[in-house]
């Protein structure tokens, strides 16, 4: 039996707040973070709806001299990591050897900044391109900035697994801790995709929700009238520790990561395998890794983005794994929008909070469940239920399927 | 981007000992001078910036502007 992994810190930046309780309250109360992009926003007039995160001043997280060109994704990631470490009460170098701390943090990178620099290159030629661009946009730079800021010297990596990257980072962190390579891992994902070129690509691929006069109704996971996802931005970081290490330093444990599973669809660059077999297998592997059976899972936070194909494939997968005894299921993207890879961490935090509070958030806008999404939905009001373990799914372009199982702190 | 220039004068060294411009900032300084004044520093000259003072750097830019306009 490998050593268990404790969750000791959570840091979030999301369209519905930065404190985990605030985010949880929003998804339970139906307080949507989805808006029509206001005048002055990069997506004003580009897309109908977006899930916009709070303003974060780059200079509040990165020294001004070094932040001349820095993508918002890096800024949000560093802020979330800072909050997660503070939540865990860890001072690197004081509470833990810097070489025993790892960072696994990623996202799609600073594509927005890259796009803007490309425009400057077209306008002004070579002199339009800043030497600060590369450290300002590379997808590993959020991790690097966290290591630099907090003096972390252990293993560092960035998973480029699209919308599965958050879940993947948590899984990779578990693997690192179980192997004994580190005592503490700062893991998560950060995304700032709200810029026209990226939004147009999703829009032209008919992936985005459109035609909704009320923005708060646009994201409709599992609903019959769903017609795409709502692009959002945000970051989520967890601090995970070897449970023994957390105990020894007297840390407050929020939950345990009991296990995880990951598979690939091997099917199509952007369409999930329609039978959901890859997703089903990632859930089965996560259950096996946790030493749990389907009956032990008391709540499932689905990936459920609101696309036709994605929601129905995930529903087939969930039904295939759990059958009629499936736990209550919801997707919280009806409120948060789709934060790409960061969704996996924000939703893990929501699932952990559901576990802690015994309250299961509903799927917002699920007015008329699609028969193709035949699940044990949590609808309308949040549902009170004492649960011992929860599962969170994350799937990504390319056919990445990741499932993570969390258990109670006292379990 | 706001740098505090309150403590800087002609004797302030551009690099770590003074204004603390690191390698990318010095590269950008070179680009901006090139863009604004139309004078070029080649790569190994740009590497010398860190040890120059503000005054030396300005004098060098001025000298090159003059040389360029005289030809």
């Amino acid at each position: 039996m490998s050593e268990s992994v404790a969750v000791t810190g959570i840091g979030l930046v999301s369209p519905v707040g930065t404190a985990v309780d605030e985010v949880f309250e929003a998804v339970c109360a139906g307080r949507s973070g989805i808006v029509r992009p206001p005048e002055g926003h990069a997506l004003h007039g580009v897309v109908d709806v977006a899930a916009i995160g709070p303003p974060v001043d780059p200079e509040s997280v990165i020294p001004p001299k070094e932040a001349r060109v820095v993508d918002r994704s890096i800024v949000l990631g560093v802020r979330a990591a800072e909050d997660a470490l503070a939540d865990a009460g860890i001072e690197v170098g004081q509470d833990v050897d810097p070489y025993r701390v790892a960072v696994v943090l990623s996202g799609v990178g600073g594509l927005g900044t890259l796009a803007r620099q490309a425009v400057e290159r077209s306008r002004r030629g070579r002199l339009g391109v800043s030497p600060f661009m590369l450290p300002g946009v590379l997808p590993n730079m959020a991790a690097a900035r966290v290591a630099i800021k907090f003096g972390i010297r252990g293993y560092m990596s960035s998973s480029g697994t699209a919308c599965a990257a958050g879940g993947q980072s948590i899984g990779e962190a578990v693997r690192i801790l179980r192997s004994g390579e580190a005592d503490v891992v700062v893991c998560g994902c950060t995304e700032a995709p709200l810029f026209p070129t990226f939004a147009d690509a999703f829009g032209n691929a008919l992936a985005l929700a459109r035609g909704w006069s009320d923005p708060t109704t646009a994201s409709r996971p599992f609903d019959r009238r769903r017609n795409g996802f709502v692009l959002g931005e945000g970051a989520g970081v967890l601090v995970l520790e070897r449970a023994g290490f957390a105990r020894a330093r007297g840390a407050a444990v929020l939950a345990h990561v009991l296990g995880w599973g990951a598979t690939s669809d091997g099917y199509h660059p952007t369409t999930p395998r329609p039978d959901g077999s890859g997703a089903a297998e990632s859930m089965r592997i996560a259950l096996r890794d946790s030493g749990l059976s389907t009956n032990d899972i008391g709540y499932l936070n689905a990936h459920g983005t609101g696309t036709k194909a994605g929601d129905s494939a995930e529903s087939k997968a969930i039904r295939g794994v759990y059958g009629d005894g499936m736990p209550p299921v919801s997707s919280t993207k009806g409120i948060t929008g789709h934060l790409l890879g960061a969704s996996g961490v924000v939703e893990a935090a929501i699932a952990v909070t559901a576990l802690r509070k015994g309250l299961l958030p509903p799927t917002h806008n699920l007015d008329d469940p699609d028969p193709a999404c035949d699940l044990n939905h949590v609808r309308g009001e949040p549902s009170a239920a004492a649960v011992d373990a929860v599962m969170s799914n994350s799937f990504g372009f390319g056919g990445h399927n990741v499932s993570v199982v969390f258990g109670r702190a006292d379990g | 981007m706001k740098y505090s220039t309150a403590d800087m004068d002609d004797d302030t060294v551009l690099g770590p000992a003074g204004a603390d411009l690191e390698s990318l900032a010095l590269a950008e300084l070179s680009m901006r001078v090139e863009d604004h004044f139309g004078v070029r520093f080649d790569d190994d000259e740009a590497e010398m910036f860190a040890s120059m003072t503000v005054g030396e750097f300005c004098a060098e830019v001025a000298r090159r502007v003059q040389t360029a306009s005289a030809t």
Side-chain angles (χ1 to χ4, degrees):
Chain A
M1 183 68 191
S2 54
E3 179 170 27
S4 65
V5 172
V7 183
T8 57
I10 297 174
L12 305 177
V13 179
S14 88
V16 289
T18 52
V20 66
D21 284 340
E22 183 188 10
V23 173
F24 189 75
E25 194 272 330
V27 296
C28 284
R31 188 167 53 77
S32 179
I34 296 168
V35 297
R36 203 166 296 293
E39 220 163 308
H41 189 276
L43 290 189
H44 178 67
V46 176
V47 291
D48 291 349
V49 288
I52 300 170
V56 179
D57 178 5
E59 294 183 18
S60 69
V61 287
I62 294 170
K65 284 182 183 176
E66 298 173 29
R68 297 180 63 78
V69 173
V70 64
D71 191 76
R72 181 162 154 84
S73 61
I74 297 173
V75 174
L76 300 186
V78 176
R79 166 51 53 83
E82 188 170 34
D83 290 352
L85 283 162
D87 191 36
I90 287 188
E91 193 72 46
V92 177
Q94 190 176 305
D95 302 309
V96 58
D97 175 351
Y99 285 102
R100 298 287 299 164
V101 184
V103 185
V104 185
L105 179 61
S106 70
V108 298
L111 298 178
T113 301
L114 179 63
R116 283 188 293 276
Q117 287 276 294
V119 170
E120 287 301 310
R121 179 71 178 74
S122 299
R123 277 190 191 145
R124 300 170 51 208
R126 180 178 65 82
L127 294 175
V129 181
S130 170
F132 284 90
M133 190 194 83
L134 289 175
V137 310
L138 291 177
N140 62 310
M141 283 296 163
R145 281 286 175 193
V146 169
I148 292 164
K149 187 176 180 73
F150 297 102
I152 294 169
R153 305 294 302 277
Y155 177 91
M156 177 162 70
S157 80
S158 301
S159 302
T161 54
C163 300
Q168 186 98 17
S169 293
I170 296 168
E172 197 180 333
V174 169
R175 192 178 271 166
I176 292 163
L177 290 165
R178 285 175 175 175
S179 75
E181 280 177 73
D183 297 318
V184 176
V185 186
V186 179
C187 64
C189 188
T190 180
E191 305 279 18
L194 301 184
F195 63 97
T197 312
F198 210 50
D200 284 341
F202 282 122
N204 293 344
L206 306 179
L208 297 182
R210 56 208 171 273
W212 300 93
S213 55
D214 174 358
T216 67
T217 63
S219 182
R220 323 177 60 82
F222 308 123
D223 187 73
R224 203 193 288 258
R225 291 193 298 155
R226 71 188 184 279
N227 64 1
F229 70 84
V230 172
L231 193 61
E233 63 179 353
V237 172
L238 303 183
V239 173
L240 304 187
E241 304 181 42
R242 289 191 305 103
F245 183 82
R247 259 195 314 276
R249 71 174 192 92
V253 175
L254 304 171
H256 289 104
V257 190
L258 302 180
W260 73 296
T263 64
S264 50
D265 271 354
Y267 175 72
H268 187 273
T270 56
T271 305
R273 194 177 272 277
D275 65 5
S277 56
E281 193 57 23
S282 77
M283 288 186 260
R284 288 192 188 98
I285 294 169
L287 285 167
R288 274 202 303 275
D289 190 43
S290 310
L292 299 181
S293 72
T294 52
N295 297 332
D296 297 316
I297 302 296
Y299 167 64
L300 195 155
N301 186 295
H303 185 62
T305 61
T307 63
K308 280 281 181 215
D311 288 8
S312 70
E314 184 176 14
S315 299
K316 281 195 186 77
I318 293 170
R319 179 150 288 283
V321 172
Y322 288 94
D324 287 340
M326 81 172 70
V329 176
S330 67
S331 164
T332 41
K333 287 186 176 74
I335 291 293
T336 63
H338 188 4
L339 316 181
L340 305 187
S343 292
V345 190
V346 172
E347 288 157 19
I350 290 168
V352 162
T353 308
L355 184 75
R356 289 164 56 78
K357 292 182 185 282
L359 193 64
L360 314 182
T363 300
H364 194 56
N365 295 321
L366 182 50
D367 300 336
D368 181 12
D370 185 343
C373 303
D374 181 20
L375 299 170
N376 179 14
H377 295 293
V378 185
R379 293 174 61 196
E381 294 300 310
S383 162
V387 294
D388 295 324
V390 296
M391 181 180 276
S392 179
N393 282 342
S394 302
F395 310 130
F397 273 8
H400 299 280
N401 307 295
V402 179
S403 304
V404 186
V405 175
F406 297 90
R408 297 172 63 91
D410 54 8
Chain B
M1 186 51 60
K2 303 173 286 291
Y3 280 121
S4 169
T5 53
D7 302 332
M8 291 190 198
D9 57 26
D10 275 359
D11 297 329
T12 305
V13 175
L14 292 175
D20 199 20
L21 299 183
E22 47 72 72
S23 57
L24 292 178
L26 292 168
E28 186 177 38
L29 178 65
S30 167
M31 281 175 58
R32 293 209 174 193
V33 165
E34 183 179 342
D35 197 22
H36 193 83
F37 296 103
V39 298
R40 280 213 67 167
F41 290 93
D42 56 36
D43 294 352
D44 45 2
E45 285 179 308
E47 286 172 13
M48 305 294 289
F49 288 169
S51 58
M52 293 170 98
T53 63
V54 172
E56 288 167 344
F57 179 74
C58 293
E60 184 57 27
V61 173
R63 192 184 64 75
R64 291 185 187 224
V65 169
Q66 215 164 13
T67 308
S69 60
T71 53

